[in-house]
């Protein structure tokens, strides 16, 4: 996925630049909140790390209009308009929400208590360090990276970049995920609507996420190891709370 940055207008920087931190929270109707990096240089500020996933999820391209309302403390409400100046239908508001819920795996009480005991420090510092570490170790081919957002945890799915999916994953195909051990998790990859080419890892992702204690802000790097007889992807996990330690 190509790196994307978006500059903040100079007048806003003059008025509020001093209170802006190194990351921002973007809130969008229905699709939850997203954390993206902020890069400061002299009198300029850009939205940067993580913005490409925000654009991918909402299918934003040249000609779309984004309206940002600043709520203070580096929090922005965002409204997205398409090329006809009509507000878009946000992904999680679409009718396919029922399919998302079908792909969720119910967690029993022991799973929930086990998750509650895990560290939850997803500070911006830890998140940014985790992103940088992931980028440094990410293979140059047959791989993609995702920074886990609230919807990944709540609705139990992860978007697969279109370019990666077109090369390595067939529609409605099951793939196997493997971390550093021998255990594998079988996860379904599917198009999230009948008219879209965007794909998701859905059914089976909840078990993978729970078993590996994934949290918002963690970074996952997916790398294709084998394509036959089934696609096998190695998943390297960079935990935000591990990188938050000074």
């Amino acid at each position: 996925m190509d790196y994307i940055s978006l500059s903040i207008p100079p007048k806003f920087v003059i008025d509020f630049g001093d209170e802006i931190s190194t990351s921002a929270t973007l809130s969008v109707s229905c699709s939850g909140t997203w954390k993206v990096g902020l890069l400061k240089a002299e009198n300029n500020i850009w939205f940067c790390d993580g913005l490409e996933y925000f654009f991918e999820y909402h299918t934003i391209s040249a000609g779309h209009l984004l309206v940002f309302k600043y709520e203070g403390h580096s929090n922005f409400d965002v409204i997205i308009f398409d090329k006809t100046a009509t507000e878009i239908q946000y992904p999680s508001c679409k009718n396919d929400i029922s399919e998302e819920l079908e792909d969720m795996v119910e967690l029993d009480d022991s799973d929930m208590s086990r998750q509650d005991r895990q560290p939850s420090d997803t500070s911006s510092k830890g998140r940014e360090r985790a992103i940088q570490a992931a980028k440094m170790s990410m293979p140059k081919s047959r791989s993609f990276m995702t920074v886990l957002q609230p919807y990944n945890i709540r609705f139990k799915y992860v978007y697969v970049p279109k370019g990666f999916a077109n090369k390595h994953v067939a529609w409605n195909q099951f793939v196997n995920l493997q971390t550093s051990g021998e255990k594998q998790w079988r996860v379904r990859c599917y198009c999230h609507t009948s008219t879209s080419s965007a794909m998701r890892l859905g059914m089976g992702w909840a078990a993978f996420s729970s078993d590996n204690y994934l949290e918002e802000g963690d970074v996952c790097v997916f790398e294709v190891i084998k394509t036959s007889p089934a696609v096998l992807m190695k998943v390297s996990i960079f935990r935000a709370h591990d990188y938050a330690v000074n």
Side-chain angles (χ1 to χ4, degrees):
M1 184 180 298
D2 294 335
Y3 182 83
I4 295 175
S5 63
L6 184 67
S7 63
I8 295 178
K11 186 178 186 305
F12 180 92
V13 175
I14 293 173
D15 293 341
F16 301 102
D18 290 341
E19 69 177 74
I20 296 294
S21 68
T22 58
S23 65
T25 299
L26 308 182
S27 299
V28 181
S29 175
C30 293
S31 60
T33 59
W34 300 69
K35 290 185 179 179
V36 301
L38 288 172
L39 174 64
K40 295 183 179 181
E42 297 180 348
N43 295 320
N44 301 300
I45 301 178
W46 294 267
F47 294 109
C48 52
D49 291 331
L51 189 64
E52 58 267 36
Y53 300 101
F54 179 84
F55 273 44
E56 174 83 10
Y57 181 72
H58 295 97
T59 321
I60 297 170
S61 60
H64 280 70
L65 172 66
L66 279 66
V67 177
F68 293 81
K69 180 182 178 183
Y70 187 54
E71 298 292 344
H73 305 289
S74 299
N75 295 312
F76 296 83
D77 286 339
V78 185
I79 304 174
I80 305 170
F81 298 88
D82 64 20
K83 297 176 184 179
T84 67
T86 302
E87 187 172 4
I88 69 169
Q89 187 175 20
Y90 299 99
S92 292
C93 296
K94 294 179 179 179
N95 293 332
D96 64 321
I97 189 68
S98 59
E99 182 174 9
E100 295 170 5
L101 297 177
E102 287 175 3
D103 286 339
M104 293 175 63
V105 174
E106 294 293 335
L107 303 177
D108 60 27
D109 292 340
S110 62
D111 288 328
M112 292 304 295
S113 61
R114 181 179 60 184
Q115 284 184 310
D116 292 341
R117 291 194 296 269
Q118 300 309 306
S120 59
D121 182 0
T122 54
S123 68
S124 59
K125 181 183 293 185
R127 176 181 173 277
E128 295 308 315
R129 288 175 176 174
I131 291 173
Q132 293 304 316
K135 285 181 177 179
M136 291 179 64
S137 66
M138 183 176 174
K140 293 183 179 180
S141 63
R142 303 213 307 177
S143 64
F144 71 94
M145 181 182 82
T146 186
V147 182
L148 296 184
Q149 304 290 340
Y151 76 87
N152 299 129
I153 307 301
R154 181 181 179 188
F155 292 113
K156 309 298 182 185
Y157 67 85
V158 167
Y159 267 94
V160 179
K162 182 170 66 174
F164 177 92
N166 289 341
K167 291 181 180 179
H168 304 296
V169 185
W171 180 82
N172 202 25
Q173 176 185 13
F174 279 92
V175 301
N176 295 316
L177 305 182
Q178 186 174 26
T179 56
S180 57
E182 295 183 358
K183 181 176 180 179
Q184 296 183 6
W185 289 262
R186 191 166 182 258
V187 180
R188 177 179 170 233
C189 189
Y190 66 98
C191 292
H192 78 281
T193 68
S194 59
T195 59
S196 173
S197 60
M199 300 187 77
R200 296 175 176 174
L201 294 175
M203 181 186 297
W205 175 256
F208 178 85
S209 176
S210 175
D211 289 348
N212 290 284
Y213 308 118
L214 297 183
E215 298 179 345
E216 177 188 348
D218 290 346
V219 184
C220 293
V221 173
F222 297 80
E223 178 188 5
V224 174
I225 302 299
K226 293 195 305 183
T227 57
S228 179
V231 173
L232 173 63
M233 287 192 280
K234 175 185 176 182
V235 185
S236 300
I237 302 170
F238 300 81
R239 303 184 188 278
H241 67 72
D242 287 346
Y243 288 89
V245 179
N246 292 324

